[in-house]
mmCIF file of all heavy atoms in Angstrom:
data_model
loop_
_atom_site.group_PDB
_atom_site.id
_atom_site.type_symbol
_atom_site.label_atom_id
_atom_site.label_comp_id
_atom_site.label_asym_id
_atom_site.label_seq_id
_atom_site.Cartn_x
_atom_site.Cartn_y
_atom_site.Cartn_z
ATOM 1 N N SER A 348 -6.051 15.512 15.153
ATOM 2 C CA SER A 348 -5.946 16.857 15.714
ATOM 3 C C SER A 348 -4.531 17.349 15.488
ATOM 4 O O SER A 348 -3.614 16.627 15.318
ATOM 5 C CB SER A 348 -6.294 16.852 17.155
ATOM 6 O OG SER A 348 -5.350 16.080 17.930
ATOM 7 N N ALA A 349 -4.368 18.664 15.655
ATOM 8 C CA ALA A 349 -3.146 19.301 15.464
ATOM 9 C C ALA A 349 -2.141 18.834 16.557
ATOM 10 O O ALA A 349 -0.899 18.654 16.274
ATOM 11 C CB ALA A 349 -3.217 20.838 15.451
ATOM 12 N N ASP A 350 -2.592 18.651 17.811
ATOM 13 C CA ASP A 350 -1.743 18.235 18.794
ATOM 14 C C ASP A 350 -1.159 16.845 18.576
ATOM 15 O O ASP A 350 -0.014 16.540 18.780
ATOM 16 C CB ASP A 350 -2.487 18.260 20.196
ATOM 17 C CG ASP A 350 -2.792 19.629 20.711
ATOM 18 O OD1 ASP A 350 -2.086 20.586 20.241
ATOM 19 O OD2 ASP A 350 -3.780 19.828 21.526
ATOM 20 N N LYS A 351 -2.050 15.915 18.142
ATOM 21 C CA LYS A 351 -1.608 14.583 17.804
ATOM 22 C C LYS A 351 -0.576 14.536 16.695
ATOM 23 O O LYS A 351 0.375 13.857 16.743
ATOM 24 C CB LYS A 351 -2.892 13.735 17.508
ATOM 25 C CG LYS A 351 -2.589 12.431 16.967
ATOM 26 C CD LYS A 351 -2.120 11.421 18.071
ATOM 27 C CE LYS A 351 -2.124 10.046 17.502
ATOM 28 N NZ LYS A 351 -1.117 9.206 18.063
ATOM 29 N N MET A 352 -0.829 15.302 15.669
ATOM 30 C CA MET A 352 0.107 15.317 14.441
ATOM 31 C C MET A 352 1.474 15.959 14.972
ATOM 32 O O MET A 352 2.461 15.518 14.486
ATOM 33 C CB MET A 352 -0.543 16.174 13.388
ATOM 34 C CG MET A 352 -1.711 15.374 12.676
ATOM 35 S SD MET A 352 -2.461 16.007 11.198
ATOM 36 C CE MET A 352 -1.871 17.551 10.921
ATOM 37 N N MET A 353 1.411 16.906 15.823
ATOM 38 C CA MET A 353 2.598 17.567 16.330
ATOM 39 C C MET A 353 3.423 16.603 17.143
ATOM 40 O O MET A 353 4.674 16.443 17.016
ATOM 41 C CB MET A 353 2.332 18.815 17.115
ATOM 42 C CG MET A 353 3.591 19.485 17.713
ATOM 43 S SD MET A 353 4.548 20.212 16.486
ATOM 44 C CE MET A 353 3.972 21.902 16.610
ATOM 45 N N LYS A 354 2.777 15.758 17.963
ATOM 46 C CA LYS A 354 3.463 14.824 18.801
ATOM 47 C C LYS A 354 4.078 13.704 17.933
ATOM 48 O O LYS A 354 5.194 13.281 18.181
ATOM 49 C CB LYS A 354 2.486 14.235 19.808
ATOM 50 C CG LYS A 354 2.101 15.155 20.907
ATOM 51 C CD LYS A 354 1.139 14.509 21.911
ATOM 52 C CE LYS A 354 0.706 15.553 22.946
ATOM 53 N NZ LYS A 354 -0.314 14.950 23.853
ATOM 54 N N ASP A 355 3.326 13.326 16.890
ATOM 55 C CA ASP A 355 3.827 12.271 15.987
ATOM 56 C C ASP A 355 5.153 12.785 15.224
ATOM 57 O O ASP A 355 6.040 12.056 15.076
ATOM 58 C CB ASP A 355 2.748 11.892 14.939
ATOM 59 C CG ASP A 355 1.662 11.084 15.578
ATOM 60 O OD1 ASP A 355 1.856 10.580 16.788
ATOM 61 O OD2 ASP A 355 0.599 10.876 14.968
ATOM 62 N N ASN A 356 5.069 14.030 14.830
ATOM 63 C CA ASN A 356 6.176 14.602 14.017
ATOM 64 C C ASN A 356 7.405 14.766 14.989
ATOM 65 O O ASN A 356 8.507 14.479 14.565
ATOM 66 C CB ASN A 356 5.855 15.946 13.490
ATOM 67 C CG ASN A 356 4.937 15.919 12.308
ATOM 68 O OD1 ASN A 356 4.864 14.869 11.652
ATOM 69 N ND2 ASN A 356 4.256 16.974 11.948
ATOM 70 N N LEU A 357 7.197 15.109 16.214
ATOM 71 C CA LEU A 357 8.285 15.203 17.148
ATOM 72 C C LEU A 357 8.824 13.870 17.559
ATOM 73 O O LEU A 357 10.079 13.728 17.681
ATOM 74 C CB LEU A 357 7.868 15.951 18.453
ATOM 75 C CG LEU A 357 7.643 17.477 18.338
ATOM 76 C CD1 LEU A 357 7.037 18.110 19.625
ATOM 77 C CD2 LEU A 357 8.902 18.159 17.901
ATOM 78 N N LEU A 358 8.017 12.905 17.540
ATOM 79 C CA LEU A 358 8.449 11.499 17.871
ATOM 80 C C LEU A 358 9.383 11.011 16.721
ATOM 81 O O LEU A 358 10.417 10.488 16.915
ATOM 82 C CB LEU A 358 7.313 10.596 18.047
ATOM 83 C CG LEU A 358 7.680 9.129 18.217
ATOM 84 C CD1 LEU A 358 8.261 8.947 19.574
ATOM 85 C CD2 LEU A 358 6.399 8.252 18.246
ATOM 86 N N ILE A 359 8.943 11.222 15.442
ATOM 87 C CA ILE A 359 9.728 10.889 14.292
ATOM 88 C C ILE A 359 10.992 11.641 14.241
ATOM 89 O O ILE A 359 12.060 11.002 13.960
ATOM 90 C CB ILE A 359 8.898 11.042 12.998
ATOM 91 C CG1 ILE A 359 7.733 10.090 12.977
ATOM 92 C CG2 ILE A 359 9.752 10.889 11.709
ATOM 93 C CD1 ILE A 359 6.727 10.367 11.891
ATOM 94 N N LEU A 360 11.040 12.856 14.534
ATOM 95 C CA LEU A 360 12.200 13.706 14.530
ATOM 96 C C LEU A 360 13.141 13.259 15.588
ATOM 97 O O LEU A 360 14.377 13.124 15.358
ATOM 98 C CB LEU A 360 11.838 15.167 14.727
ATOM 99 C CG LEU A 360 12.752 16.257 14.282
ATOM 100 C CD1 LEU A 360 13.019 16.101 12.757
ATOM 101 C CD2 LEU A 360 12.330 17.631 14.588
ATOM 102 N N GLY A 361 12.685 12.952 16.724
ATOM 103 C CA GLY A 361 13.556 12.391 17.877
ATOM 104 C C GLY A 361 14.079 11.070 17.479
ATOM 105 O O GLY A 361 15.305 10.774 17.711
ATOM 106 N N LEU A 362 13.401 10.181 16.862
ATOM 107 C CA LEU A 362 13.827 8.845 16.450
ATOM 108 C C LEU A 362 14.939 8.946 15.397
ATOM 109 O O LEU A 362 15.952 8.369 15.468
ATOM 110 C CB LEU A 362 12.641 8.102 15.900
ATOM 111 C CG LEU A 362 12.942 6.664 15.462
ATOM 112 C CD1 LEU A 362 13.418 5.820 16.720
ATOM 113 C CD2 LEU A 362 11.770 5.978 14.870
ATOM 114 N N LEU A 363 14.850 9.966 14.377
ATOM 115 C CA LEU A 363 15.777 10.215 13.407
ATOM 116 C C LEU A 363 17.038 10.714 14.038
ATOM 117 O O LEU A 363 18.184 10.278 13.721
ATOM 118 C CB LEU A 363 15.303 11.205 12.331
ATOM 119 C CG LEU A 363 14.388 10.583 11.382
ATOM 120 C CD1 LEU A 363 13.791 11.716 10.389
ATOM 121 C CD2 LEU A 363 15.009 9.554 10.526
ATOM 122 N N PHE A 364 17.017 11.659 15.037
ATOM 123 C CA PHE A 364 18.160 12.192 15.674
ATOM 124 C C PHE A 364 18.852 11.025 16.458
ATOM 125 O O PHE A 364 20.095 10.932 16.407
ATOM 126 C CB PHE A 364 17.811 13.279 16.632
ATOM 127 C CG PHE A 364 19.015 13.823 17.410
ATOM 128 C CD1 PHE A 364 19.913 14.626 16.859
ATOM 129 C CD2 PHE A 364 19.194 13.415 18.782
ATOM 130 C CE1 PHE A 364 21.009 15.099 17.530
ATOM 131 C CE2 PHE A 364 20.312 13.846 19.474
ATOM 132 C CZ PHE A 364 21.231 14.729 18.848
#
Side-chain angles (χ1 to χ4, degrees):
S348 67
D350 291 337
K351 171 73 172 149
M352 290 183 354
M353 178 69 97
K354 288 178 186 176
D355 289 346
N356 287 340
L357 288 176
L358 178 69
I359 291 170
L360 204 61
L362 185 64
L363 283 174
F364 178 76

